[in-house]
Amino acid sequence: MIREILKMGDPRLLEKSRPVEAFGTPDLRALIGDMQDTMRAASGAGLAAPQIGVGLRVVIFGFESNPRYPQVEAVPFTILVNPVLTPLSDELEEDWEGCLSVPGLRGAVPRWTRLSYRGFDAEGGLIEREAAGFHARVVQHECDHLDGILYPMRIRDLTKFGYTEILFPDAGIPED
Ligand code: NI
């Protein structure tokens, strides 16, 4: 079921989410199904449970290609419950991000360039991976939602924050 995506200003997006305690349950499967439907309907690169008003540590992300991010490489579709991120380098890189909870805007956000992540799928199976590039960026963005952090809160240079159609007039990025 497609759910409403909360927008910046809603206090639920600023809360710290709690860990999932039971795997393979009908509730968890239904939540993840709704998140997939909602992300797909909005052409999102990822979605975190708090964005649909559920304060649990669940994120999904990944795509073959994405009209909202025409320049980036594919990211494997991933369901990640109770994720833990570990940077593999001190290096930060700034690049453009958007968010379905911050429609119409883009900002340049510093993120770790390489990291490992660990978490569980809906059935409790362990997922452990290393990621770099946009894959690493999207994991950090989605996991920030679980701690009540929206990407504008991480922008260091606010001159690099603006409306998508003004910043990238020729990119053909759909309005969100
Ligand atoms: Ni987001």
Side-chain angles (χ1 to χ4, degrees), residues 13 46-48 51 68-69 97-102 111 138 141-142 144-145 149-151:
L13 289 170
L47 192 74
Q51 291 183 276
R68 298 180 71 245
Y69 298 94
E97 290 181 21
C99 179
L100 296 174
S101 294
V102 190
R111 300 284 188 188
V138 76
H141 176 114
E142 298 312 329
D144 262 359
H145 278 294
I149 298 168
L150 299 170
Y151 83 79

Side-chain angles (χ1 to χ4, degrees), residues 11-32:
R12 288 172 288 178
L13 289 170
L14 303 176
E15 288 172 7
K16 192 172 167 72
S17 295
R18 21 179 231 291
V20 169
E21 287 174 355
F23 292 89
T25 62
D27 280 358
L28 183 59
R29 290 187 191 131
L31 169 64
I32 290 168

Side-chain angles (χ1 to χ4, degrees), residues 3 8 85 107 123 143 172-173:
R3 306 266 294 258
M8 185 167 65
L85 309 188
E123 308 305 313
C143 291
I173 297 169

Side-chain angles (χ1 to χ4, degrees), residues 26 52 107 144 157 165:
I52 58 167
D144 262 359
D157 177 356
E165 82 255 27

